[in-house]
């Protein structure tokens, strides 16, 4: 309101100057130097350009801050749901570690089975010939055991292996995750290790009952072990991803808040300087009228 009144007063003084009313009121002509200075002043609206720019920037930053806060809330909600599944899935594959152990397996030329587009884009630069199978669009639907079982079934039909090394990020906290390698041996390698007296955990302490042979039991254990390990790896990686999203969106929201504080300070200073200039002009005009 005060700013609008100041603008009206300045326009009134400008109209009086242009019509020669001030000359009639004072009884003396307006000094030529003053008239020359008045004509060189910019239009009144130009003083508000900087404040308008800052105000538009503040609106933009506020909008960005709302978006980042909303994205943080979405990531937090997804993280809670996936974290519960990941904790439960650890009970599936951990018994296999005690049964067969997480041994390194034989060293051979590696072949890659890539899940997700980001890993594929990285490996295609240097190891495109070593990619045996690529599976995308894994994260579009909620991860479940049936989905991973079908994925492993497709993998077993197209890829021959002695050992499977699953590389993933194990979730520790929102700001921390650990790169982890989990190894699953094929049934043939497990049987050879067992026959040669290798250390395979508690497997040899169990007796096989029924019509199934030891090779068939090992084959079933190996396939189920891959499914359980991969299911846990997918959930752990999804937790790590959502945690990283939460951390990034929280940092973005705080940065937007700091930027908004700086813009508000700049806006207030610019507005105060504009008001001070307007008051000075009004006082100078009033002094000219009385002088």
């Amino acid at each position: 309101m005060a700013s609008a009144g100041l603008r009206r007063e300045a326009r009134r003084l400008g109209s009086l100057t242009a019509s020669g009313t001030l000359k009639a009121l004072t009884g003396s002509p307006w000094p030529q130097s003053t008239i020359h200075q008045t004509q060189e002043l910019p239009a009144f609206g130009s003083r508000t350009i900087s404040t308008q720019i800052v105000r538009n920037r503040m609106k933009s930053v506020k909008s960005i801050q709302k978006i980042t806060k909303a994205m943080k809330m979405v990531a937090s909600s997804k993280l809670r749901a996936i974290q519960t599944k990941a904790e439960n899935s650890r009970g599936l594959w951990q018994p296999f570690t005690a049964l067969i152990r997480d041994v390194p397996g034989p060293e051979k030329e590696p072949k890659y089975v890539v899940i997700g587009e980001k890993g594929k884009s990285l490996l295609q630069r240097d190891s495109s010939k070593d990619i045996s199978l690529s599976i995308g669009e894994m994260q579009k639907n909620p991860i479940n055991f049936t989905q991973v079982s079908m994925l492993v079934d497709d993998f077993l039909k197209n890829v021959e292996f002695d050992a499977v090394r699953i590389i993933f990020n194990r979730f520790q906290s929102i700001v921390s995750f650990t790169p982890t390698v989990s190894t699953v041996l094929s049934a043939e390698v497990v049987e050879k290790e067992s026959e040669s007296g290798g250390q395979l955990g508690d497997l040899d302490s169990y007796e096989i009952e029924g019509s199934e042979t030891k090779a068939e039991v090992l084959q079933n254990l190996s396939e189920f072990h891959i499914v359980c390990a991969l299911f846990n790896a997918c959930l752990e990686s999804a937790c790590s991803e959502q945690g990283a999203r939460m951390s990034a969106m929280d940092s973005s929201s705080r940065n937007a808040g700091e930027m908004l504080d700086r813009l508000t300070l700049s806006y207030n200073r610019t507005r105060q300087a504009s008001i001070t200039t307007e008051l000075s002009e009004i006082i100078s005009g009033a002094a000219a009228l009385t002088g």
Side-chain angles (χ1 to χ4, degrees):
M1 294 297 291
S3 179
L6 293 175
R7 293 191 187 97
R8 288 195 297 270
E9 185 66 20
R11 294 192 190 98
R12 186 180 67 82
L13 291 174
S15 62
L16 289 175
T17 304
S19 61
T21 307
L22 290 180
K23 177 180 178 181
L25 292 174
T26 57
S28 60
W30 193 272
Q32 294 298 322
S33 60
T34 306
I35 295 175
H36 179 70
Q37 293 175 1
T38 304
Q39 291 175 349
E40 289 181 351
L41 288 175
F44 179 79
S46 63
R47 299 193 185 102
T48 63
I49 292 177
S50 58
T51 56
Q52 183 66 32
I53 293 174
V54 175
R55 191 158 53 243
N56 292 339
R57 185 71 182 277
M58 289 170 64
K59 290 181 180 178
S60 176
V61 173
K62 285 181 180 178
S63 299
I64 293 174
Q65 189 179 41
K66 289 180 181 179
I67 294 173
T68 54
K69 286 183 177 180
M71 293 179 68
K72 178 185 175 182
M73 292 178 62
V74 172
S76 176
S77 177
K78 290 183 178 180
L79 176 61
R80 285 194 295 269
I82 299 174
Q83 190 174 5
T84 303
K85 292 183 179 180
E87 292 173 353
N88 295 334
S89 69
R90 292 171 186 171
L92 288 174
W93 68 269
Q94 285 177 346
F96 286 99
T97 304
L99 186 65
I100 307 179
R101 289 192 179 181
D102 195 357
V103 294
E107 292 291 339
K108 292 185 177 181
E109 184 180 355
K111 295 291 182 180
Y112 300 108
V113 176
V114 186
I115 300 176
E117 296 297 331
K118 290 186 178 180
K120 180 181 177 181
S121 63
L122 291 173
L123 289 174
Q124 277 184 334
R125 299 176 184 175
D126 302 323
S127 306
S128 58
K129 296 180 180 180
D130 297 328
I131 298 177
S132 300
L133 184 64
S134 178
I135 302 168
E137 302 181 358
M138 185 72 177
Q139 300 290 345
K140 287 191 174 182
N141 298 317
I143 301 172
N144 55 66
F145 193 81
T146 303
Q147 181 185 16
V148 177
S149 298
M150 295 175 62
L151 188 152
V152 172
D153 185 61
D154 187 25
F155 162 73
L156 294 174
K157 290 178 180 178
N158 294 279
V159 181
E160 295 182 358
F161 66 96
D162 291 330
V164 177
R165 293 182 178 88
I166 303 173
I167 304 173
F168 61 98
N169 291 319
R170 183 175 301 283
F171 179 76
Q172 302 292 336
S173 66
I174 294 176
V175 295
S176 176
F177 48 87
T178 306
T180 306
V181 180
S182 179
T183 304
V184 181
L185 300 178
S186 66
E188 293 79 7
V189 174
V190 172
E191 189 173 6
K192 288 179 181 178
E193 289 288 335
S194 178
E195 292 175 353
S196 62
Q199 297 295 326
L200 290 175
D202 301 331
L203 179 63
D204 292 333
S205 63
Y206 292 90
E207 295 183 1
I208 299 175
E209 296 181 355
S211 59
E212 292 184 341
T213 63
K214 185 177 181 179
E216 293 174 342
V217 172
L218 291 176
Q219 183 67 32
N220 294 333
L221 283 176
S222 177
E223 293 178 2
F224 189 66
H225 189 188
I226 295 174
V227 175
C228 294
L230 185 59
F231 180 55
N232 175 256
C234 291
L235 292 174
E236 295 281 357
S237 296
C239 283
S240 301
E241 179 186 355
Q242 298 303 328
R245 287 178 183 270
M246 279 187 61
S247 179
M249 293 302 102
D250 182 63
S251 298
S252 298
S253 298
R254 285 189 280 104
N255 291 338
E258 293 175 1
M259 183 179 295
L260 193 60
D261 292 339
R262 292 194 297 268
L263 289 173
T264 301
L265 181 61
S266 176
Y267 174 77
N268 290 336
R269 286 178 176 175
T270 305
R271 184 170 176 270
Q272 183 179 5
S274 177
I275 293 174
T276 302
T277 302
E278 292 170 3
L279 288 174
S280 299
E281 291 179 353
I282 292 174
I283 292 171
S284 298
L289 288 173
T290 58

